[in-house]
């Protein structure tokens, strides 16, 4: 008999922006090295490990979605897998068979393969990088896919605690770097 899960946790594109920032540096499009990103890498790694641990003793299928399509374009699959090895080992140790790794390139076919292990009333948790873009998109897509396939998904929303709002962080950085206009001097008229 196949084990049926009450929840589906989706970790979307972990470490993606670190890899692409380093890529931009190696192509002359940026100024970031892995050494400069190391503290951010460790911070995210710890957050993702915490997310894995939080689902350890629950009836949750934990799915990590790799950003394979873009990694292939950047020719960074090997570097990404090397960078993620610690997380993969940790997830397998903590979650065992409740951990799956799939790719965004084959997302539809991979998600179809896991649906037999999901209960009809399934809770969906989503988190990861680019909270307002990738995480939101995959969350909505997955919920719609489950509905179309006679499931009754209960959206648990995007888990902010385990997510990074990278697009808005960058926007705030750019705005912070822009010089602020000097306030106009108010000249009082003499009477």
């Amino acid at each position: 008999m196949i084990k049926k899960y009450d929840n589906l946790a989706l970790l979307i594109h972990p470490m993606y922006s670190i890899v692409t920032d380093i890529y931009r540096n190696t192509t002359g499009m940026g100024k970031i090295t892995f050494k400069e990103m190391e503290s951010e890498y460790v911070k995210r790694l710890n957050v993702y490990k915490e997310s894995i641990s939080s689902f350890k003793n629950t009836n949750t299928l934990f799915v990590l979605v790799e950003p394979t399509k873009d990694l292939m374009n950047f020719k960074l699959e090997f570097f990404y897998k090397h960078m993620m090895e610690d997380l993969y080992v940790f997830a397998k140790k903590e979650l065992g068979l409740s951990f799956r790794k799939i790719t965004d390139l084959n997302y539809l076919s991979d998600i179809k393969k896991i649906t037999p292990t999901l209960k009809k009333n399934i809770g969906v948790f989503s988190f990861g990088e680019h909270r307002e873009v990738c995480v939101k998109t995959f969350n909505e897509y997955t919920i719609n896919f489950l509905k179309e396939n006679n499931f009754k998904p209960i959206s648990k929303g995007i888990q902010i605690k385990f997510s990074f709002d990278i697009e808005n962080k960058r926007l705030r950085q750019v705005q912070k770097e822009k010089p602020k206009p000097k306030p106009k001097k108010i000249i009082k008229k003499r009477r």
Side-chain angles (χ1 to χ4, degrees):
M1 189 168 154
I2 296 174
K3 179 177 181 173
K4 297 275 189 177
Y5 293 99
D6 293 317
N7 297 300
L8 175 63
L10 299 170
L11 173 51
I12 310 297
H13 298 163
M15 306 299 179
Y16 171 75
S17 62
I18 291 176
V19 172
T20 55
D21 284 348
I22 292 167
Y23 169 79
R24 286 184 186 100
N25 184 50
T26 60
T27 59
M29 293 166 43
K31 298 177 183 175
I32 298 171
T33 64
F34 183 76
K35 194 71 180 157
E36 291 171 305
M37 295 297 285
E38 193 170 12
S39 64
E40 185 66 21
Y41 167 76
V42 170
K43 174 182 152 187
R44 291 186 202 175
L45 185 64
N46 289 333
V47 167
Y48 295 141
K49 283 182 175 182
E50 183 185 347
S51 75
I52 289 166
S53 293
S54 73
F55 290 106
K56 182 178 182 177
N57 294 317
T58 65
N59 191 22
T60 301
L61 180 60
F62 192 99
V63 176
L64 186 150
V65 182
E66 291 183 330
T68 310
K69 185 177 179 182
D70 286 336
L71 291 175
M72 288 167 56
N73 292 340
F74 293 150
K75 296 181 174 66
L76 288 169
E77 300 106 316
F78 176 79
F79 179 68
Y80 183 80
K81 286 184 185 347
H82 176 72
M83 199 166 82
M84 293 292 291
E85 190 59 34
D86 186 34
L87 188 64
Y88 295 149
V89 169
F90 181 82
K92 287 175 187 170
K93 182 180 166 215
E94 290 286 292
L95 302 172
L97 297 174
S98 295
F99 172 69
R100 306 280 169 80
K101 184 173 53 165
I102 65 176
T103 67
D104 59 4
L105 190 62
N106 301 315
Y107 190 73
L108 180 59
S109 62
D110 288 344
I111 224 59
K112 281 181 183 178
K113 289 176 190 172
I114 66 168
T115 54
T117 66
L118 306 177
K119 289 185 178 177
K120 288 295 175 188
N121 293 322
I122 183 84
V124 179
F125 298 85
S126 298
F127 44 94
E129 295 197 21
H130 294 280
R131 183 173 76 211
E132 295 299 318
V133 182
C134 300
V135 177
K136 185 177 177 182
T137 302
F138 275 87
N139 186 64
E140 289 171 1
Y141 179 84
T142 304
I143 288 171
N144 289 333
F145 169 79
L146 291 170
K147 284 179 182 176
E148 289 168 6
N149 287 277
N150 300 316
F151 286 87
K152 294 178 182 159
I154 303 152
S155 176
K156 304 293 184 169
I158 294 170
Q159 305 301 297
I160 294 170
K161 180 179 179 182
F162 303 129
S163 294
F164 295 92
D165 188 14
I166 293 163
E167 56 282 347
N168 288 322
K169 181 181 176 184
R170 287 186 177 150
L171 181 63
R172 287 189 300 271
Q173 258 181 326
V174 168
Q175 289 172 341
K176 199 187 288 185
E177 291 169 2
K178 283 183 182 177
K180 293 180 181 174
K182 293 181 182 179
K184 293 180 181 177
K185 288 183 180 179
I186 299 173
I187 303 171
K188 292 183 179 178
K189 292 181 181 177
R190 290 187 181 181
R191 293 183 184 196

